[in-house]
Amino acid sequence: MRETTSPPPSPSANPPFIPQITLYRNWLSETRGLSFDSYDALWRWSTTDLDAFWQSVWDYFELQSPTPHSAVLAERRMPGAQWFPGAQVNYAQQVFRHVEPAHAAGFAAILSRNEKGQHRELGWPELRRQVASLALHLKAQGVEPGDRVAAYLPNIPEAMVAFLAVVSLGGVWSICAPDMGTNAVLDRFKQIAPKVLIACDGVSYGGRDFDRSAVVAELQAALPSVQHVLLYRNLGGDQFATNLIADYADFTGATARNDQETAAFEPRWLPFDHPLWIVYSSGTTGLPKPIVHGHGGTVLVALALKTLHNDVGCSYEANSWGERYHWYSSTGWVMWNAQMSGLLNGTTCCIYDGNPGGSKDKPDWTTLWRFAADLGVTFFGAGAAFFANCMKAGIELSQCGDLTKVRALGTTGSPLSPEAQNWGTQQFRKLHAVRPEPFDELRTGSVEGSFDLAQDRLRQAQPEREDIWWCNISGGTDFAGAFIGGNRELPLVPGEMQCRLLGCAVEAWNEEGQPVINEVGELVCTQPIPSMPLYFWGDQGAMEPPGGGAAHPPRGSGTGSGRPSAEPGPRYLSSYFDMYPHVWRHGDWLKVTPSGGCIIYGRSDATINRHGLRMGTSELYSAIEALPEVLDSMVVDLEYLGRESYMPLFVVLRAGVALDDAMKARLNNAVKTALSPRFVPNDIFQVPEIPRTLSGKKQELPIKKLLLGQPLEKVVNQDAMANPACLAWYVQFSENYLSKLSKRAA
């Protein structure tokens, strides 16, 4: 029997659901005397008057600090921008502000379900109690501000509790998903020298249980900095080899405390730029880079993105009463961080742990939809590949339960094709028999001026206002945010994202470094935003290893703020600033349309983007080239404008070794074991040579461009190559591949 959970009845029979960005514009008019005749005008103000815009975000969301800030943007540069000096914040403090009002309104903080149908609810007071209990446990183990805590946990409430407990103390959080192999996890955690490891005994995925005890034991043995291990028995029972793990404490016991000290616990106030978490770059040119984001910048940008642009409101406010926010993710994707951000604004978070497509034996792309129907989800987000798979599977949403509460669909990870978007729109048209009058709620309290005219034009452009709203966004792990996304007040064009986000000075630049409109260019951001990285952990010049030990934030100031002790300069974030100094280069191809819409055309670098998860090619090479039969290898990912990701692997094998089925299986298993099944290549080809530059670098990007149809002379300078003669093989391969693609399309 499926369990259904319903929010408390609304205080109003017909809640208005005024778009959040409309409420913000109204507020700007009432409190700042600012009115804008178009979204473009509002966006230009937000990206030129950075101080006024980000101060307005601080004030609009009523952020609190026991000490005032002396400026909004004290240092306006990239990298090295200094935001809100003097202010004190804590991510957990912002979350706990909602405990009493959300609980009084009858709403849960977290609703969770897994593949086995196990449903759990975590109320706001219970969330605070568990966080306090675990924080006091960690404090007793010596966790201090700046200490790293590493987690190896799936998308379950315990991961969210652990995160809040760590950051409430000023500890620095970092998490990897349990579907990642030992080597991939160690490539990340070894760099940050964690003091504590929080892990699970195993995970369930695709209808199977996977024991992870041996992996946890390997992590424990390979991380000498770890002084304490907490183990959560996610699979329940003792059938797995947890005896392999030495000296661990029980996670459930650590969160069970309920006394006066837990009731009195308060998260620690920290400097605005105190390190919050460490996430990781894809590792295209080496080990994954550990990226550090700060408390204040992350909170500020998350509130602006989730609320103003994703239109996710507070669950206990009348305008968005009963809001339930879901974005499917694993803990290895930054969308887990985005899902967590729902708590910042008092929103009930709905999380699912498991395979959204069922099992291999019994594929079922209705799984997440039935989950959303049962829980009454209002915002449903997933990777673009998920919606494409649902379309290909031919599922009917009308057979998945009551999905009428869903009023927004979110996508990211890769470009959403027009076909997949139209499929979803048509599915929701079938679900809604009643067509509400368009814009009545928008006109309630609307700002006077030409926005009314703009809405009239929008009414003509979209007469069927009952269509589901798609919030298609593009951002990155790199800055824990989005550059491009949605706007409830703007028209929807399938295959496009609606706008550049407020505060994000995004442009498409041509090869001369000039902004272009209606042409494909390099996505750049020309002004800083508060969630851009503070530094890479352990980066020379940014961190000082004390006494030759592991790097950690300098303690000389006594604040544990984790700020660099020496001015890092542009070098330390060179992957973003190498092409255009002091301008953020994101690594995507972008076209900005004359109307302000945006289209992403895939990665402009060699990063692998498989089903929304990015991985550097170097990590895959480490796994493949460890096999004695492999002399060299190269992989390219041809994800491009909503096409299904196609990733061929090219290998140079030792003399006498053939690429037979057994060898292909060995290569695929090496990828599965070291990384994840998600990164297994579509095809494997034996080649005589891998193209390399004179300095020895693999020519991944030129070959990718070649396979996307660009001419050889446009993609590579053969004079700069060590082995230009090998290109003939790839040119022929490209012609064959493109010919097959063309015939398939016809």
Side-chain angles (χ1 to χ4, degrees), residues 478-741:
D478 325 63
F479 64 103
F483 282 139
I484 301 165
N487 183 329
R488 278 277 190 181
E489 298 177 334
L490 296 177
L492 276 172
V493 178
E496 288 187 17
M497 286 165 279
Q498 289 174 291
C499 64
R500 292 171 281 185
L501 300 195
L502 295 176
C504 300
V506 167
E507 296 175 341
W509 278 18
N510 61 20
E511 293 181 357
E512 287 74 42
Q514 299 169 332
V516 292
I517 297 294
N518 219 28
E519 295 179 25
V520 177
E522 187 85 29
L523 191 163
V524 301
C525 185
T526 63
Q527 297 292 343
I529 63 173
S531 65
M532 284 178 174
L534 302 177
Y535 41 76
F536 290 148
W537 194 272
D539 187 74
Q540 185 181 1
M543 311 298 294
E544 289 186 342
H552 65 64
R555 305 290 179 87
S557 65
T559 64
S561 68
R563 282 199 57 77
S565 58
E567 185 56 51
R571 175 194 55 74
Y572 88 108
L573 290 177
S574 60
S575 57
Y576 307 116
F577 300 95
D578 55 355
M579 182 176 289
Y580 313 111
H582 311 300
V583 172
W584 179 283
R585 173 180 173 260
H586 194 56
D588 280 334
W589 295 120
L590 166 69
K591 180 166 76 175
V592 180
T593 70
S595 64
C598 294
I599 305 172
I600 294 288
Y601 288 85
R603 298 295 293 167
S604 64
D605 57 21
T607 302
I608 302 169
N609 188 346
R610 296 287 274 179
H611 316 298
L613 298 180
R614 292 179 180 175
M615 181 70 73
T617 53
S618 64
E619 296 193 74
L620 191 139
Y621 298 147
S622 295
I624 293 169
E625 294 172 14
L627 298 177
E629 299 91 341
V630 179
L631 296 177
D632 205 356
S633 64
M634 182 178 70
V635 67
V636 293
D637 180 16
L638 301 185
E639 175 269 326
Y640 177 78
L641 192 54
R643 294 179 188 169
E644 186 174 358
S645 173
Y646 175 71
M647 190 175 81
L649 169 66
F650 306 101
V651 292
V652 180
L653 301 178
R654 290 189 182 278
V657 178
L659 186 63
D660 54 17
D661 289 343
M663 189 65 225
K664 288 181 179 179
R666 289 201 68 198
L667 290 162
N668 286 333
N669 286 333
V671 174
K672 288 180 183 177
T673 303
L675 302 177
S676 166
R678 302 168 191 261
F679 296 99
V680 170
N682 294 92
D683 286 312
I684 306 175
F685 301 95
Q686 187 170 359
V687 296
E689 285 185 277
I690 298 300
R692 290 183 177 271
T693 65
L694 291 171
S695 61
K697 292 183 179 179
K698 299 179 185 186
Q699 293 276 54
E700 299 155 320
L701 187 54
I703 299 304
K704 175 176 179 175
K705 291 180 177 179
L706 192 67
L707 293 173
L708 289 174
Q710 297 187 40
L712 180 66
E713 63 273 13
K714 291 283 189 180
V715 302
V716 66
N717 176 10
Q718 297 189 47
D719 292 336
M721 287 189 60
N723 53 351
C726 77
L727 289 174
W729 188 96
Y730 294 90
V731 170
Q732 185 61 55
F733 178 84
S734 170
E735 291 174 355
N736 294 340
Y737 168 74
L738 292 169
S739 175
K740 290 179 183 176
L741 206 63

Side-chain angles (χ1 to χ4, degrees), residues 17-20 305-313 320 322-328 339 347 350 368-369 371-373 376-383 386-387 397 402-412 416 421 423-425 427-429 431-432 441 465-473 485-489 492 498:
F17 284 108
I18 301 171
Q20 298 292 330
L305 166 63
K306 182 182 68 66
T307 308
L308 303 183
H309 285 284
N310 292 3
D311 201 39
V312 177
S320 47
E323 189 86 273
R324 289 189 169 182
Y325 171 51
H326 165 72
W327 202 304
Y328 176 78
Q339 173 76 82
T347 309
C350 302
L368 278 187
W369 296 109
F371 159 81
V377 165
T378 56
F379 185 105
F380 181 98
F386 169 80
F387 295 99
L397 296 189
D402 183 5
L403 289 166
T404 57
K405 290 186 175 65
V406 177
R407 54 190 188 85
L409 298 175
T411 72
T412 191
L416 180 71
Q421 184 165 333
W423 169 84
T425 299
Q427 287 289 315
F428 272 87
R429 281 180 181 173
L431 295 176
H432 293 278
E441 71 274 19
R465 186 62 174 87
E466 78 282 3
D467 278 352
I468 192 73
W469 178 61
W470 288 87
C471 179
N472 306 329
I473 68 173
N487 183 329
R488 278 277 190 181
E489 298 177 334
L492 276 172
Q498 289 174 291

